[in-house]
Amino acid sequence: MSADQKKKIFILMINMFIAIASFGIVIPILPSYLQSIDQGGTAAGLMIAIFAAAMFVFSPIAGKWADQYGRRKMIIYGLLGLTISMFVFYASDAIAILYLSRVIGGIGAAMLIPAIFAYIADITTFDQRAKGTSLVSAAMSLGIVVGPGIGGFLADYGIKLPFLVSALVSLGAVIFSVIWLKEHDATDADPALAATLTDDESMLTKIGRSTKMPYFIPLVITLVMSFGLLAYESVVGLYLDNQFNSTAKDIAFMITATGVVSVIVQLFVVDRIVRRYGEVAILITFLGVAALGFLMSLFAGSYAMFFVVSLIIFLATSILRPVLNTLISKMADGEVGFAMGMNNAYMSIGNVIGPLLAGTLYDVNIIYPFILGLIMLIITMFITISWQRSRAAKTSATA
């Protein structure tokens, strides 16, 4: 990559890290904060679900705007939305206003994330794209690790201080992007096409149209992966406490370790294996690895074994995420912003449904969420294999 490409990707990595960390910063302090304002588990669940639902509803629109008006504007407006969200959350204790702040934050994330991946597609060649998306995905994984840690540390100095710090850092990212991030339109982007295709479409119409796109199966895999990962994360703390009497420190150590593994893999492994084996082969392989992890979780008899299982699951998903982003952007053909917006929308569906369904199943039987994740991953793996055979047959027929 050229020095200019590296500079732009570094700026995008900073933005992605801040966006994800600002979301994660809420996680460790939310229960105690909500308790302090006489709210409980329902409010905690809604805080996460509302953010993800806002992302889901707004992602296709934001993706279209990224194609129509440019990536840079959407990135800056997205960061601004996250900044406003954190300031609102810091300034009020009224539950309705807190819900509103999560809506604003979800819209901001919807504008930011697909625009970042579309920008990556603009400034990289096909051969470089896996490397670019894996770098940004590594920044995302680092945000997942660092965000909760920062939130827990700052909460010792004031229960609402993490929200203020997050807002100020996000504001700094807005200023940083205004000064340093330059617009770089894709050579194959067609703003007129993006406008005509999506101007009058409802969300259901957009999702319906996405089912006819060549990248529909990768979108389904994105949904299943986010569903399984968020379902797993939402109950893993309860499961460890119930099964192995694990402490909060044990759980935090496991989350941090798996996050560090994800960052290392995305920085140093993803690009190499994609170049050697191709995106689809990697998808099939690591869907199988993730399914193996969920299967092993059913038989983990100790904290140490469950720790190893978590490493396997997070290793697989840390490879699947950037590979999916790369594959979808390569197959988008002229409307990368819309494609990445739909990618974000499908991810948000999984992020909403996963934790809600996992929590319900956990109350019935604590292993049911893991069984559900296993079944969905196996089904998705066979769908992907069938899709790949269909693509190969079409390629052979036209050759």
Side-chain angles (χ1 to χ4, degrees), residues 2 4-9 12 66-67 69-75 115-125 128-129 180-189 191 336-337:
S2 67
D4 184 59
Q5 284 176 309
K6 290 178 180 177
K7 174 185 172 183
K8 289 175 178 176
I9 289 175
L12 296 176
D67 283 331
Y69 302 118
R71 324 310 194 194
R72 178 178 179 271
K73 288 181 181 177
M74 291 300 102
I75 290 171
I116 285 179
F117 283 111
Y119 197 113
I120 288 288
D122 293 348
I123 65 174
T124 56
T125 64
Q128 296 171 333
R129 199 163 297 172
W180 291 104
L181 188 64
K182 307 302 179 185
E183 188 62 85
H184 191 109
D185 291 323
T187 55
D188 62 344
V336 177

Side-chain angles (χ1 to χ4, degrees), residues 235-263:
V235 300
V236 69
L238 295 170
Y239 184 84
L240 289 172
D241 178 57
N242 183 287
Q243 293 294 94
F244 312 121
N245 295 318
S246 300
T247 65
K249 186 181 290 186
D250 294 330
I251 297 168
F253 177 73
M254 189 180 76
I255 293 173
T256 300
T258 53
V260 169
V261 168
S262 297
V263 172

Side-chain angles (χ1 to χ4, degrees), residues 10 50 72-73 83 86 88 92 100 115 131 157 159-160 178 192 221 236-237 269 279 286 306 325 344 368 386:
F10 179 69
I50 286 172
R72 178 178 179 271
K73 288 181 181 177
T83 303
M86 286 298 114
V88 170
S92 177
L100 175 63
K131 180 67 173 177
Y157 300 93
I159 193 67
K160 299 203 76 173
V178 168
I221 299 171
V236 69
V269 176
E279 288 90 355
F286 283 94
F306 203 89
N325 289 332
N344 211 32
Y368 281 0
S386 175

Side-chain angles (χ1 to χ4, degrees), residues 217 221 224 283-292 374-388:
I217 294 299
I221 299 171
V224 173
L283 285 181
I284 294 170
T285 299
F286 283 94
L287 280 169
V289 172
L292 176 64
L374 173 62
I375 292 171
M376 291 195 66
L377 284 167
I378 291 174
I379 291 172
T380 307
M381 183 175 66
F382 282 108
I383 289 173
T384 307
I385 292 171
S386 175
W387 173 66
Q388 170 59 5

